[in-house]
Amino acid sequence: MVGRSFVNCEIVLVRHAESVPPVPEEPDDPERPLTAAGVAAAELLAHELAAMNPTAVVSSPYRRAVETVAPAARAVGLEVTTRRELREWDSGLEPTPDYAVHYERSWADPDFARPGAESLRQLTARAMAAVDRLAEQHCGGVVLVGSHGTFVSRLLAGLGPGIGWAFSRDMPMPAVHLLRWARE
């Protein structure tokens, strides 16, 4: 096929390990670390991820995502590069014990967005564009991508049917999903 170029890349999506829960009435995200169990899980996962021979390790800038892929990066002698577009969904919700009700509503209507926040459809577009850029930049390589449950779920939902709220809600921490990214 003359005139066509294909981007081929293996993308290894890594949902972060168990993190310290968010606290109501306090800002969430960027600095929440892994729990002791999460740190141990990330260390155990490092061998499996290193065996995939990554050529790059890229992560959400959120501490829990970086801490999950950092042991694998160290094992193969790579640095973790952070990218804002790999961050978790900006749901517009403060930490709340009944978050599942709000998330389920958003999954039922992916175009719904709270004021100043991102809809799940917007997250899907962001996730797809971010991974497309990574695949283009690391053509022929294997990229470990440290991110978050809703980000990973919405990326997978953008690739095909069958990914819904139950999948996202039940995704373990950590979780690994291997994608063979081929785009024209």
Side-chain angles (χ1 to χ4, degrees), residues 57-62 65-66 79-86:
V57 182
V58 184
S59 178
S60 157
Y62 293 5
V66 173
E79 295 290 322
V80 178
T81 303
T82 61
R83 296 207 180 166
R84 188 172 178 338
E85 65 266 23
L86 300 174

Side-chain angles (χ1 to χ4, degrees), residues 85-108:
E85 65 266 23
L86 300 174
R87 73 192 181 283
E88 181 58 296
W89 174 41
D90 178 11
S91 67
L93 286 170
E94 292 296 319
T96 176
D98 67 341
Y99 80 94
V101 171
H102 301 287
Y103 275 46
E104 186 172 16
R105 175 182 177 196
S106 293
W107 277 87

Side-chain angles (χ1 to χ4, degrees), residues 14-21 29-45 62-71 74 147-148 173-174:
V14 182
R15 190 237 178 128
H16 65 79
E18 181 183 87
S19 60
V20 171
D29 284 339
E31 292 304 316
R32 255 190 318 121
L34 296 180
T35 62
V39 170
E43 291 292 339
L44 286 173
L45 185 60
Y62 293 5
R63 182 174 173 185
R64 60 191 182 272
V66 173
E67 288 180 347
T68 301
V69 295
R74 280 193 304 274
S147 194
H148 307 270
M173 292 188 282

Side-chain angles (χ1 to χ4, degrees), residues 1 31 46 50 60 66 70 94 127 130-132 143 152 155 169 184:
M1 294 187 199
E31 292 304 316
S60 157
V66 173
E94 292 296 319
V131 172
D132 262 339
V143 183
V152 170
L155 175 64
R169 178 194 64 218
E184 191 175 328

